[in-house]
């Protein structure tokens, strides 16, 4: 049973890496392979090609705006790369609680409909969709039910669940809604895989992620960031786990910001806890700061927090790489969910949660 995966909004390959590395012991016939992918950013597509489908000789990665993608049976992208599984981490910018939460009224909110179009036209056997936890409250709570209904009406029973990835061995507090859809002609019910680290004392810490094993000196994307003297001096006063607003800073190093005081500004990691959420954008003070060294993390260190292996090489400028890492799904968290999908279709029992924590009526 081989599933060939098509992807919209593929990013650098967090979902794809997790999918293609999903392993069922003693069942090598159960696997997921890359079919085709799409993203609008050139550097991101280069990263995906380099790590997921080396050199992309068959032109399986379409780099361009999804709004200009010909989603039809005649498009060579789909004709030459048949697929029976689908993933799309539709853009979260307009659903994130960190942003303005414009939802459907924003530029990115309606883009999920292109995923729905793929589902309606090609009817893959299953799909995985991913978005931020803020999706459930966007448009005054109206966005999420509408998206769920559209996915259901495309021909799928859907199983939405809010995953806390720190409970799945990921060294980062990252909470995301993952929706598994199974075509209605299949008799399967999907159950979220059980957490492997449900107890807070077992969470993988940022120290474990960054130091065990040590990052090799020649690891890609590990260039030290440029730090100003003022930032270095400010960090000397900020203890692990603190930020620029709850640390005891001298007057000349305090930030003169009115209104909301964002807790991530110049926030150091706590070495004994998972990292806070790795993000892909933001100005000064939002780059995640080392717990013992007076500097921001390297991109390689951020990638470790997202469970990318050290030989996963990101392409593009340092800032573009930062964005790719922050927008990705943690590879290892994705792998566990894809393995549960494979076991569901193969009727292989696995440890699971008895029901999804987000309600939806599939009738």
């Amino acid at each position: 049973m081989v599933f060939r995966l098509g992807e919209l909004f593929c990013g650098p390959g967090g979902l794809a890496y997790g999918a293609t590395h999903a392993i069922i012991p003693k069942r090598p016939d159960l696997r997921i392979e890359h079919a085709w992918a799409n993203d609008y950013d050139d550097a991101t597509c280069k990263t995906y090609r380099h790590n997921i489908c080396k050199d992309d000789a068959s032109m399986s990665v379409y780099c361009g705006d999804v709004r200009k993608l010909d989603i039809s049976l005649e498009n060579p992208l789909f004709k030459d790369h048949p697929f029976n599984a689908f993933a799309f981490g539709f853009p979260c910018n307009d659903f994130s609680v960190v942003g303005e939460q414009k939802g459907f009224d924003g530029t990115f909110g309606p883009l999920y409909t292109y995923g729905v179009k793929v589902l309606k036209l090609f009817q893959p056997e299953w799909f995985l969709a991913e978005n931020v936890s803020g999706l459930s409250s966007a448009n005054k709570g109206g966005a999420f039910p509408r998206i769920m209904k559209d996915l259901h009406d495309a021909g799928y029973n859907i199983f939405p669940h809010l995953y806390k990835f720190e409970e799945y061995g990921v060294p980062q507090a990252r909470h995301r809604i993952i929706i598994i859809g199974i075509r209605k002609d299949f008799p399967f019910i999907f159950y979220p895989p059980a957490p492997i680290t449900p107890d807070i004392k077992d969470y993988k810490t940022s120290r474990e992620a960054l130091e065990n094993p040590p990052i090799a000196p020649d690891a890609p994307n590990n260039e030290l960031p440029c730090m100003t003297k003022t930032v270095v001096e400010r960090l000397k006063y900020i203890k692990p786990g603190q930020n620029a607003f709850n640390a005891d800073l001298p007057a000349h190093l305090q930030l003169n910001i009115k209104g909301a005081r964002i807790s991530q500004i110049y926030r150091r990691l706590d070495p004994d806890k998972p990292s806070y959420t790795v993000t892909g954008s933001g100005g000064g003070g939002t780059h995640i700061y080392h717990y013992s060294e007076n500097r921001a993390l390297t991109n390689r260190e951020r990638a470790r927090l997202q469970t990318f292996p050290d030989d996963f090489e990101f392409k593009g400028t340092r800032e573009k790489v930062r964005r790719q890492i922050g927008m990705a799904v943690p590879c290892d968290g994705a792998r566990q969910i894809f393995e549960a999908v494979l076991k569901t279709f193969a009727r292989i029992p696995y440890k699971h949660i008895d029901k999804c924590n987000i309600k939806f009526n599939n009738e």
Side-chain angles (χ1 to χ4, degrees):
M1 187 183 300
V2 178
F3 292 105
R4 291 183 51 78
L5 186 71
E7 288 188 84
L8 289 182
F9 319 111
C10 65
L15 280 175
Y17 191 91
T20 55
H21 286 76
I23 297 174
I24 308 302
K26 300 180 181 181
R27 289 294 303 272
D29 58 309
L30 285 175
R31 63 185 188 275
I32 303 171
E33 298 177 348
H34 161 78
W36 59 266
N38 156 252
D39 200 274
Y40 78 97
D41 181 69
D42 183 62
T44 300
C45 290
K46 288 178 178 176
T47 296
Y48 188 101
R49 290 190 186 104
H50 180 74
N51 295 280
I52 305 301
C53 49
K54 198 79 170 179
D55 300 325
D56 191 29
S58 62
M59 300 299 291
S60 64
V61 179
Y62 168 77
C63 191
D65 192 325
V66 69
R67 290 167 289 196
K68 297 179 181 179
L69 175 62
D70 175 24
I71 300 177
S72 73
L73 297 173
E74 301 306 315
N75 187 337
L77 178 67
F78 308 120
K79 289 180 65 177
D80 298 343
H81 307 94
F83 64 105
N84 57 354
F86 180 54
F88 62 120
F90 52 102
C92 63
N93 312 55
D94 290 325
F95 298 120
S96 174
V97 293
V98 177
E100 298 178 55
Q101 261 197 313
K102 293 181 179 180
F104 293 139
D105 299 324
T107 302
F108 304 101
L111 294 184
Y112 84 95
T113 59
Y114 291 89
V116 174
K117 187 174 182 180
V118 169
L119 292 172
K120 286 182 175 179
L121 183 61
F122 293 97
Q123 289 286 288
E125 296 181 23
W126 56 267
F127 73 82
L128 181 152
E130 177 266 348
N131 210 275
V132 293
S133 59
L135 174 63
S136 61
S137 58
N139 289 97
K140 298 180 179 179
F144 189 65
R146 175 175 161 185
I147 293 173
M148 297 300 97
K149 184 177 186 303
D150 287 349
L151 294 171
H152 181 263
D153 290 350
Y156 293 83
N157 288 322
I158 59 173
F159 307 94
H161 189 74
L162 176 63
Y163 289 83
K164 296 181 178 181
F165 280 114
E166 62 270 32
E167 296 181 349
Y168 291 85
V170 175
Q172 178 192 170
R174 193 178 190 90
H175 302 169
R176 292 294 184 267
I177 292 174
I178 303 286
I179 305 160
I180 297 296
I182 298 178
R183 209 171 62 202
K184 291 179 182 178
D185 56 315
F186 288 99
F188 306 124
I189 296 175
F190 177 79
Y191 295 99
I196 62 173
T197 52
D199 195 315
I200 190 171
K201 72 177 188 302
D202 296 324
Y203 287 173
K204 188 172 182 178
T205 67
S206 58
R207 190 203 305 274
E208 289 179 84
L210 302 188
E211 297 184 13
N212 187 21
I215 297 175
D218 59 347
N221 311 115
N222 199 37
E223 303 85 0
L224 289 172
C226 298
M227 309 292 298
T228 68
K229 291 182 178 180
T230 300
V231 170
V232 172
E233 187 180 1
R234 179 178 292 121
L235 288 172
K236 290 178 181 179
Y237 290 90
I238 300 175
K239 297 177 182 178
Q242 290 185 336
N243 60 53
F245 300 110
N246 59 20
D248 186 15
L249 293 176
H252 71 285
L253 294 175
Q254 294 177 8
L255 300 178
N256 297 315
I257 299 177
K258 296 181 179 180
R261 295 190 169 188
I262 303 174
S263 64
Q264 310 318 42
I265 299 296
Y266 293 108
R267 182 179 175 184
R268 279 191 185 271
L269 294 174
D270 184 327
D272 298 320
K273 295 180 180 179
S275 165
Y276 52 94
T277 304
V278 177
T279 58
S281 60
T286 62
H287 289 240
I288 303 184
Y289 293 84
H290 201 278
Y291 42 80
S292 61
E293 299 179 25
N294 295 321
R295 61 171 178 84
L297 298 189
T298 69
N299 278 325
R300 185 80 269 148
E301 290 169 328
R302 291 190 189 93
R304 280 257 181 124
L305 299 176
Q306 285 278 59
T307 63
F308 282 96
D310 286 354
D311 60 357
F312 193 105
E313 183 177 358
F314 296 85
K315 301 295 184 177
T317 64
R318 188 179 299 179
E319 193 56 33
K320 286 187 175 182
V321 169
R322 178 198 172 200
R323 183 183 181 281
Q324 291 174 45
I325 294 169
M327 297 296 285
V329 178
C331 302
D332 203 50
R335 174 189 60 77
Q336 295 172 64
I337 299 170
F338 282 118
E339 287 177 351
V341 172
L342 289 175
K343 290 175 181 177
T344 297
F345 272 78
R347 291 186 168 91
I348 297 174
Y350 61 94
K351 292 182 179 180
H352 62 262
I353 297 172
D354 289 337
K355 59 181 179 180
C356 296
N357 58 18
I358 297 176
K359 294 182 179 180
F360 183 80
N361 188 349
N362 280 305
E363 295 180 358

mmCIF file with all atom_site columns, all heavy atoms in Angstrom, residues 198-218:
data_model
loop_
_atom_site.group_PDB
_atom_site.id
_atom_site.type_symbol
_atom_site.label_atom_id
_atom_site.label_alt_id
_atom_site.label_comp_id
_atom_site.label_asym_id
_atom_site.label_entity_id
_atom_site.label_seq_id
_atom_site.pdbx_PDB_ins_code
_atom_site.Cartn_x
_atom_site.Cartn_y
_atom_site.Cartn_z
_atom_site.occupancy
_atom_site.B_iso_or_equiv
_atom_site.pdbx_formal_charge
_atom_site.auth_seq_id
_atom_site.auth_comp_id
_atom_site.auth_asym_id
_atom_site.auth_atom_id
_atom_site.pdbx_PDB_model_num
ATOM 1   N N   . PRO A 1 198 ? 3.343  12.637 27.414 1.00 0.00 ? 198 PRO A N   1
ATOM 2   C CA  . PRO A 1 198 ? 2.170  13.352 27.939 1.00 0.00 ? 198 PRO A CA  1
ATOM 3   C C   . PRO A 1 198 ? 2.441  14.085 29.238 1.00 0.00 ? 198 PRO A C   1
ATOM 4   O O   . PRO A 1 198 ? 1.729  15.028 29.583 1.00 0.00 ? 198 PRO A O   1
ATOM 5   C CB  . PRO A 1 198 ? 1.154  12.221 28.151 1.00 0.00 ? 198 PRO A CB  1
ATOM 6   C CG  . PRO A 1 198 ? 1.988  11.000 28.373 1.00 0.00 ? 198 PRO A CG  1
ATOM 7   C CD  . PRO A 1 198 ? 3.192  11.173 27.504 1.00 0.00 ? 198 PRO A CD  1
ATOM 8   N N   . ASP A 1 199 ? 3.474  13.659 29.972 1.00 0.00 ? 199 ASP A N   1
ATOM 9   C CA  . ASP A 1 199 ? 3.783  14.274 31.261 1.00 0.00 ? 199 ASP A CA  1
ATOM 10  C C   . ASP A 1 199 ? 4.801  15.395 31.058 1.00 0.00 ? 199 ASP A C   1
ATOM 11  O O   . ASP A 1 199 ? 5.822  15.213 30.393 1.00 0.00 ? 199 ASP A O   1
ATOM 12  C CB  . ASP A 1 199 ? 4.349  13.220 32.212 1.00 0.00 ? 199 ASP A CB  1
ATOM 13  C CG  . ASP A 1 199 ? 4.343  13.689 33.657 1.00 0.00 ? 199 ASP A CG  1
ATOM 14  O OD1 . ASP A 1 199 ? 4.739  14.854 33.900 1.00 0.00 ? 199 ASP A OD1 1
ATOM 15  O OD2 . ASP A 1 199 ? 3.961  12.906 34.534 1.00 0.00 ? 199 ASP A OD2 1
ATOM 16  N N   . ILE A 1 200 ? 4.540  16.535 31.649 1.00 0.00 ? 200 ILE A N   1
ATOM 17  C CA  . ILE A 1 200 ? 5.404  17.699 31.473 1.00 0.00 ? 200 ILE A CA  1
ATOM 18  C C   . ILE A 1 200 ? 6.846  17.424 31.875 1.00 0.00 ? 200 ILE A C   1
ATOM 19  O O   . ILE A 1 200 ? 7.778  17.980 31.295 1.00 0.00 ? 200 ILE A O   1
ATOM 20  C CB  . ILE A 1 200 ? 4.839  18.912 32.248 1.00 0.00 ? 200 ILE A CB  1
ATOM 21  C CG1 . ILE A 1 200 ? 5.590  20.192 31.876 1.00 0.00 ? 200 ILE A CG1 1
ATOM 22  C CG2 . ILE A 1 200 ? 4.863  18.658 33.748 1.00 0.00 ? 200 ILE A CG2 1
ATOM 23  C CD1 . ILE A 1 200 ? 4.945  21.439 32.441 1.00 0.00 ? 200 ILE A CD1 1
ATOM 24  N N   . LYS A 1 201 ? 7.045  16.526 32.827 1.00 0.00 ? 201 LYS A N   1
ATOM 25  C CA  . LYS A 1 201 ? 8.412  16.233 33.272 1.00 0.00 ? 201 LYS A CA  1
ATOM 26  C C   . LYS A 1 201 ? 9.199  15.453 32.214 1.00 0.00 ? 201 LYS A C   1
ATOM 27  O O   . LYS A 1 201 ? 10.429 15.376 32.290 1.00 0.00 ? 201 LYS A O   1
ATOM 28  C CB  . LYS A 1 201 ? 8.390  15.460 34.593 1.00 0.00 ? 201 LYS A CB  1
ATOM 29  C CG  . LYS A 1 201 ? 7.931  14.014 34.533 1.00 0.00 ? 201 LYS A CG  1
ATOM 30  C CD  . LYS A 1 201 ? 8.034  13.352 35.895 1.00 0.00 ? 201 LYS A CD  1
ATOM 31  C CE  . LYS A 1 201 ? 7.769  11.859 35.858 1.00 0.00 ? 201 LYS A CE  1
ATOM 32  N NZ  . LYS A 1 201 ? 6.450  11.538 35.329 1.00 0.00 ? 201 LYS A NZ  1
ATOM 33  N N   . ASP A 1 202 ? 8.489  14.900 31.234 1.00 0.00 ? 202 ASP A N   1
ATOM 34  C CA  . ASP A 1 202 ? 9.148  14.134 30.175 1.00 0.00 ? 202 ASP A CA  1
ATOM 35  C C   . ASP A 1 202 ? 9.344  14.932 28.892 1.00 0.00 ? 202 ASP A C   1
ATOM 36  O O   . ASP A 1 202 ? 9.894  14.412 27.917 1.00 0.00 ? 202 ASP A O   1
ATOM 37  C CB  . ASP A 1 202 ? 8.340  12.871 29.861 1.00 0.00 ? 202 ASP A CB  1
ATOM 38  C CG  . ASP A 1 202 ? 8.273  11.924 31.048 1.00 0.00 ? 202 ASP A CG  1
ATOM 39  O OD1 . ASP A 1 202 ? 9.275  11.823 31.777 1.00 0.00 ? 202 ASP A OD1 1
ATOM 40  O OD2 . ASP A 1 202 ? 7.213  11.292 31.252 1.00 0.00 ? 202 ASP A OD2 1
ATOM 41  N N   . TYR A 1 203 ? 8.885  16.177 28.873 1.00 0.00 ? 203 TYR A N   1
ATOM 42  C CA  . TYR A 1 203 ? 9.032  16.988 27.665 1.00 0.00 ? 203 TYR A CA  1
ATOM 43  C C   . TYR A 1 203 ? 10.510 17.105 27.284 1.00 0.00 ? 203 TYR A C   1
ATOM 44  O O   . TYR A 1 203 ? 11.384 17.246 28.144 1.00 0.00 ? 203 TYR A O   1
ATOM 45  C CB  . TYR A 1 203 ? 8.485  18.391 27.875 1.00 0.00 ? 203 TYR A CB  1
ATOM 46  C CG  . TYR A 1 203 ? 6.973  18.502 27.942 1.00 0.00 ? 203 TYR A CG  1
ATOM 47  C CD1 . TYR A 1 203 ? 6.373  19.708 28.283 1.00 0.00 ? 203 TYR A CD1 1
ATOM 48  C CD2 . TYR A 1 203 ? 6.141  17.414 27.669 1.00 0.00 ? 203 TYR A CD2 1
ATOM 49  C CE1 . TYR A 1 203 ? 4.993  19.840 28.350 1.00 0.00 ? 203 TYR A CE1 1
ATOM 50  C CE2 . TYR A 1 203 ? 4.770  17.529 27.733 1.00 0.00 ? 203 TYR A CE2 1
ATOM 51  C CZ  . TYR A 1 203 ? 4.192  18.739 28.081 1.00 0.00 ? 203 TYR A CZ  1
ATOM 52  O OH  . TYR A 1 203 ? 2.833  18.868 28.135 1.00 0.00 ? 203 TYR A OH  1
ATOM 53  N N   . LYS A 1 204 ? 10.768 17.074 25.999 1.00 0.00 ? 204 LYS A N   1
ATOM 54  C CA  . LYS A 1 204 ? 12.136 17.288 25.529 1.00 0.00 ? 204 LYS A CA  1
ATOM 55  C C   . LYS A 1 204 ? 12.460 18.768 25.650 1.00 0.00 ? 204 LYS A C   1
ATOM 56  O O   . LYS A 1 204 ? 11.710 19.633 25.184 1.00 0.00 ? 204 LYS A O   1
ATOM 57  C CB  . LYS A 1 204 ? 12.288 16.821 24.076 1.00 0.00 ? 204 LYS A CB  1
ATOM 58  C CG  . LYS A 1 204 ? 13.731 16.835 23.593 1.00 0.00 ? 204 LYS A CG  1
ATOM 59  C CD  . LYS A 1 204 ? 13.861 16.189 22.231 1.00 0.00 ? 204 LYS A CD  1
ATOM 60  C CE  . LYS A 1 204 ? 15.323 16.161 21.787 1.00 0.00 ? 204 LYS A CE  1
ATOM 61  N NZ  . LYS A 1 204 ? 15.486 15.495 20.468 1.00 0.00 ? 204 LYS A NZ  1
ATOM 62  N N   . THR A 1 205 ? 13.583 19.086 26.261 1.00 0.00 ? 205 THR A N   1
ATOM 63  C CA  . THR A 1 205 ? 13.922 20.477 26.539 1.00 0.00 ? 205 THR A CA  1
ATOM 64  C C   . THR A 1 205 ? 14.728 21.100 25.411 1.00 0.00 ? 205 THR A C   1
ATOM 65  O O   . THR A 1 205 ? 15.287 20.408 24.556 1.00 0.00 ? 205 THR A O   1
ATOM 66  C CB  . THR A 1 205 ? 14.739 20.577 27.835 1.00 0.00 ? 205 THR A CB  1
ATOM 67  O OG1 . THR A 1 205 ? 16.021 19.948 27.620 1.00 0.00 ? 205 THR A OG1 1
ATOM 68  C CG2 . THR A 1 205 ? 14.021 19.897 28.996 1.00 0.00 ? 205 THR A CG2 1
ATOM 69  N N   . SER A 1 206 ? 14.800 22.420 25.444 1.00 0.00 ? 206 SER A N   1
ATOM 70  C CA  . SER A 1 206 ? 15.603 23.123 24.446 1.00 0.00 ? 206 SER A CA  1
ATOM 71  C C   . SER A 1 206 ? 17.082 22.772 24.584 1.00 0.00 ? 206 SER A C   1
ATOM 72  O O   . SER A 1 206 ? 17.804 22.676 23.588 1.00 0.00 ? 206 SER A O   1
ATOM 73  C CB  . SER A 1 206 ? 15.399 24.635 24.567 1.00 0.00 ? 206 SER A CB  1
ATOM 74  O OG  . SER A 1 206 ? 15.737 25.104 25.860 1.00 0.00 ? 206 SER A OG  1
ATOM 75  N N   . ARG A 1 207 ? 17.540 22.549 25.811 1.00 0.00 ? 207 ARG A N   1
ATOM 76  C CA  . ARG A 1 207 ? 18.936 22.154 26.010 1.00 0.00 ? 207 ARG A CA  1
ATOM 77  C C   . ARG A 1 207 ? 19.216 20.800 25.339 1.00 0.00 ? 207 ARG A C   1
ATOM 78  O O   . ARG A 1 207 ? 20.230 20.633 24.659 1.00 0.00 ? 207 ARG A O   1
ATOM 79  C CB  . ARG A 1 207 ? 19.266 22.072 27.501 1.00 0.00 ? 207 ARG A CB  1
ATOM 80  C CG  . ARG A 1 207 ? 20.779 21.895 27.766 1.00 0.00 ? 207 ARG A CG  1
ATOM 81  C CD  . ARG A 1 207 ? 21.047 21.258 29.128 1.00 0.00 ? 207 ARG A CD  1
ATOM 82  N NE  . ARG A 1 207 ? 20.422 21.986 30.230 1.00 0.00 ? 207 ARG A NE  1
ATOM 83  C CZ  . ARG A 1 207 ? 20.972 23.027 30.862 1.00 0.00 ? 207 ARG A CZ  1
ATOM 84  N NH1 . ARG A 1 207 ? 22.163 23.473 30.500 1.00 0.00 ? 207 ARG A NH1 1
ATOM 85  N NH2 . ARG A 1 207 ? 20.319 23.609 31.858 1.00 0.00 ? 207 ARG A NH2 1
ATOM 86  N N   . GLU A 1 208 ? 18.308 19.844 25.538 1.00 0.00 ? 208 GLU A N   1
ATOM 87  C CA  . GLU A 1 208 ? 18.480 18.539 24.893 1.00 0.00 ? 208 GLU A CA  1
ATOM 88  C C   . GLU A 1 208 ? 18.538 18.683 23.377 1.00 0.00 ? 208 GLU A C   1
ATOM 89  O O   . GLU A 1 208 ? 19.357 18.042 22.713 1.00 0.00 ? 208 GLU A O   1
ATOM 90  C CB  . GLU A 1 208 ? 17.332 17.612 25.271 1.00 0.00 ? 208 GLU A CB  1
ATOM 91  C CG  . GLU A 1 208 ? 17.319 17.124 26.706 1.00 0.00 ? 208 GLU A CG  1
ATOM 92  C CD  . GLU A 1 208 ? 16.119 16.245 26.970 1.00 0.00 ? 208 GLU A CD  1
ATOM 93  O OE1 . GLU A 1 208 ? 16.196 15.044 26.664 1.00 0.00 ? 208 GLU A OE1 1
ATOM 94  O OE2 . GLU A 1 208 ? 15.098 16.770 27.471 1.00 0.00 ? 208 GLU A OE2 1
ATOM 95  N N   . ALA A 1 209 ? 17.660 19.522 22.858 1.00 0.00 ? 209 ALA A N   1
ATOM 96  C CA  . ALA A 1 209 ? 17.585 19.681 21.411 1.00 0.00 ? 209 ALA A CA  1
ATOM 97  C C   . ALA A 1 209 ? 18.850 20.300 20.835 1.00 0.00 ? 209 ALA A C   1
ATOM 98  O O   . ALA A 1 209 ? 19.332 19.885 19.775 1.00 0.00 ? 209 ALA A O   1
ATOM 99  C CB  . ALA A 1 209 ? 16.372 20.540 21.051 1.00 0.00 ? 209 ALA A CB  1
ATOM 100 N N   . LEU A 1 210 ? 19.419 21.284 21.534 1.00 0.00 ? 210 LEU A N   1
ATOM 101 C CA  . LEU A 1 210 ? 20.558 22.024 20.983 1.00 0.00 ? 210 LEU A CA  1
ATOM 102 C C   . LEU A 1 210 ? 21.902 21.387 21.309 1.00 0.00 ? 210 LEU A C   1
ATOM 103 O O   . LEU A 1 210 ? 22.885 21.617 20.589 1.00 0.00 ? 210 LEU A O   1
ATOM 104 C CB  . LEU A 1 210 ? 20.541 23.468 21.492 1.00 0.00 ? 210 LEU A CB  1
ATOM 105 C CG  . LEU A 1 210 ? 19.279 24.289 21.179 1.00 0.00 ? 210 LEU A CG  1
ATOM 106 C CD1 . LEU A 1 210 ? 19.493 25.745 21.572 1.00 0.00 ? 210 LEU A CD1 1
ATOM 107 C CD2 . LEU A 1 210 ? 18.886 24.179 19.716 1.00 0.00 ? 210 LEU A CD2 1
ATOM 108 N N   . GLU A 1 211 ? 21.961 20.570 22.374 1.00 0.00 ? 211 GLU A N   1
ATOM 109 C CA  . GLU A 1 211 ? 23.264 20.055 22.810 1.00 0.00 ? 211 GLU A CA  1
ATOM 110 C C   . GLU A 1 211 ? 23.447 18.553 22.628 1.00 0.00 ? 211 GLU A C   1
ATOM 111 O O   . GLU A 1 211 ? 24.574 18.065 22.705 1.00 0.00 ? 211 GLU A O   1
ATOM 112 C CB  . GLU A 1 211 ? 23.482 20.418 24.286 1.00 0.00 ? 211 GLU A CB  1
ATOM 113 C CG  . GLU A 1 211 ? 23.549 21.904 24.553 1.00 0.00 ? 211 GLU A CG  1
ATOM 114 C CD  . GLU A 1 211 ? 23.867 22.225 26.016 1.00 0.00 ? 211 GLU A CD  1
ATOM 115 O OE1 . GLU A 1 211 ? 24.277 21.313 26.754 1.00 0.00 ? 211 GLU A OE1 1
ATOM 116 O OE2 . GLU A 1 211 ? 23.686 23.396 26.413 1.00 0.00 ? 211 GLU A OE2 1
ATOM 117 N N   . ASN A 1 212 ? 22.388 17.816 22.387 1.00 0.00 ? 212 ASN A N   1
ATOM 118 C CA  . ASN A 1 212 ? 22.501 16.361 22.338 1.00 0.00 ? 212 ASN A CA  1
ATOM 119 C C   . ASN A 1 212 ? 21.963 15.809 21.012 1.00 0.00 ? 212 ASN A C   1
ATOM 120 O O   . ASN A 1 212 ? 20.761 15.645 20.835 1.00 0.00 ? 212 ASN A O   1
ATOM 121 C CB  . ASN A 1 212 ? 21.732 15.742 23.508 1.00 0.00 ? 212 ASN A CB  1
ATOM 122 C CG  . ASN A 1 212 ? 21.946 14.246 23.616 1.00 0.00 ? 212 ASN A CG  1
ATOM 123 O OD1 . ASN A 1 212 ? 22.925 13.717 23.107 1.00 0.00 ? 212 ASN A OD1 1
ATOM 124 N ND2 . ASN A 1 212 ? 21.010 13.560 24.276 1.00 0.00 ? 212 ASN A ND2 1
ATOM 125 N N   . PRO A 1 213 ? 22.865 15.508 20.062 1.00 0.00 ? 213 PRO A N   1
ATOM 126 C CA  . PRO A 1 213 ? 24.322 15.708 20.132 1.00 0.00 ? 213 PRO A CA  1
ATOM 127 C C   . PRO A 1 213 ? 24.682 17.143 19.782 1.00 0.00 ? 213 PRO A C   1
ATOM 128 O O   . PRO A 1 213 ? 23.836 17.886 19.257 1.00 0.00 ? 213 PRO A O   1
ATOM 129 C CB  . PRO A 1 213 ? 24.838 14.726 19.071 1.00 0.00 ? 213 PRO A CB  1
ATOM 130 C CG  . PRO A 1 213 ? 23.753 14.735 18.036 1.00 0.00 ? 213 PRO A CG  1
ATOM 131 C CD  . PRO A 1 213 ? 22.461 14.845 18.795 1.00 0.00 ? 213 PRO A CD  1
ATOM 132 N N   . PRO A 1 214 ? 25.921 17.545 20.013 1.00 0.00 ? 214 PRO A N   1
ATOM 133 C CA  . PRO A 1 214 ? 26.343 18.890 19.624 1.00 0.00 ? 214 PRO A CA  1
ATOM 134 C C   . PRO A 1 214 ? 26.226 19.077 18.116 1.00 0.00 ? 214 PRO A C   1
ATOM 135 O O   . PRO A 1 214 ? 26.367 18.124 17.345 1.00 0.00 ? 214 PRO A O   1
ATOM 136 C CB  . PRO A 1 214 ? 27.807 18.940 20.075 1.00 0.00 ? 214 PRO A CB  1
ATOM 137 C CG  . PRO A 1 214 ? 27.933 17.878 21.108 1.00 0.00 ? 214 PRO A CG  1
ATOM 138 C CD  . PRO A 1 214 ? 26.975 16.790 20.706 1.00 0.00 ? 214 PRO A CD  1
ATOM 139 N N   . ILE A 1 215 ? 25.949 20.298 17.706 1.00 0.00 ? 215 ILE A N   1
ATOM 140 C CA  . ILE A 1 215 ? 25.873 20.603 16.275 1.00 0.00 ? 215 ILE A CA  1
ATOM 141 C C   . ILE A 1 215 ? 27.290 20.665 15.712 1.00 0.00 ? 215 ILE A C   1
ATOM 142 O O   . ILE A 1 215 ? 28.160 21.338 16.268 1.00 0.00 ? 215 ILE A O   1
ATOM 143 C CB  . ILE A 1 215 ? 25.133 21.932 16.042 1.00 0.00 ? 215 ILE A CB  1
ATOM 144 C CG1 . ILE A 1 215 ? 23.683 21.808 16.535 1.00 0.00 ? 215 ILE A CG1 1
ATOM 145 C CG2 . ILE A 1 215 ? 25.155 22.316 14.563 1.00 0.00 ? 215 ILE A CG2 1
ATOM 146 C CD1 . ILE A 1 215 ? 22.895 23.107 16.473 1.00 0.00 ? 215 ILE A CD1 1
ATOM 147 N N   . ALA A 1 216 ? 27.523 19.954 14.626 1.00 0.00 ? 216 ALA A N   1
ATOM 148 C CA  . ALA A 1 216 ? 28.847 19.924 14.013 1.00 0.00 ? 216 ALA A CA  1
ATOM 149 C C   . ALA A 1 216 ? 29.242 21.308 13.509 1.00 0.00 ? 216 ALA A C   1
ATOM 150 O O   . ALA A 1 216 ? 28.386 22.077 13.056 1.00 0.00 ? 216 ALA A O   1
ATOM 151 C CB  . ALA A 1 216 ? 28.868 18.925 12.862 1.00 0.00 ? 216 ALA A CB  1
ATOM 152 N N   . PRO A 1 217 ? 30.526 21.656 13.599 1.00 0.00 ? 217 PRO A N   1
ATOM 153 C CA  . PRO A 1 217 ? 30.983 22.986 13.165 1.00 0.00 ? 217 PRO A CA  1
ATOM 154 C C   . PRO A 1 217 ? 30.651 23.301 11.708 1.00 0.00 ? 217 PRO A C   1
ATOM 155 O O   . PRO A 1 217 ? 30.441 24.457 11.346 1.00 0.00 ? 217 PRO A O   1
ATOM 156 C CB  . PRO A 1 217 ? 32.498 22.924 13.379 1.00 0.00 ? 217 PRO A CB  1
ATOM 157 C CG  . PRO A 1 217 ? 32.700 21.865 14.415 1.00 0.00 ? 217 PRO A CG  1
ATOM 158 C CD  . PRO A 1 217 ? 31.621 20.848 14.164 1.00 0.00 ? 217 PRO A CD  1
ATOM 159 N N   . ASP A 1 218 ? 30.591 22.260 10.860 1.00 0.00 ? 218 ASP A N   1
ATOM 160 C CA  . ASP A 1 218 ? 30.337 22.490 9.438  1.00 0.00 ? 218 ASP A CA  1
ATOM 161 C C   . ASP A 1 218 ? 28.879 22.244 9.054  1.00 0.00 ? 218 ASP A C   1
ATOM 162 O O   . ASP A 1 218 ? 28.558 22.120 7.869  1.00 0.00 ? 218 ASP A O   1
ATOM 163 C CB  . ASP A 1 218 ? 31.247 21.602 8.591  1.00 0.00 ? 218 ASP A CB  1
ATOM 164 C CG  . ASP A 1 218 ? 31.041 20.113 8.879  1.00 0.00 ? 218 ASP A CG  1
ATOM 165 O OD1 . ASP A 1 218 ? 30.383 19.787 9.886  1.00 0.00 ? 218 ASP A OD1 1
ATOM 166 O OD2 . ASP A 1 218 ? 31.548 19.288 8.092  1.00 0.00 ? 218 ASP A OD2 1
#
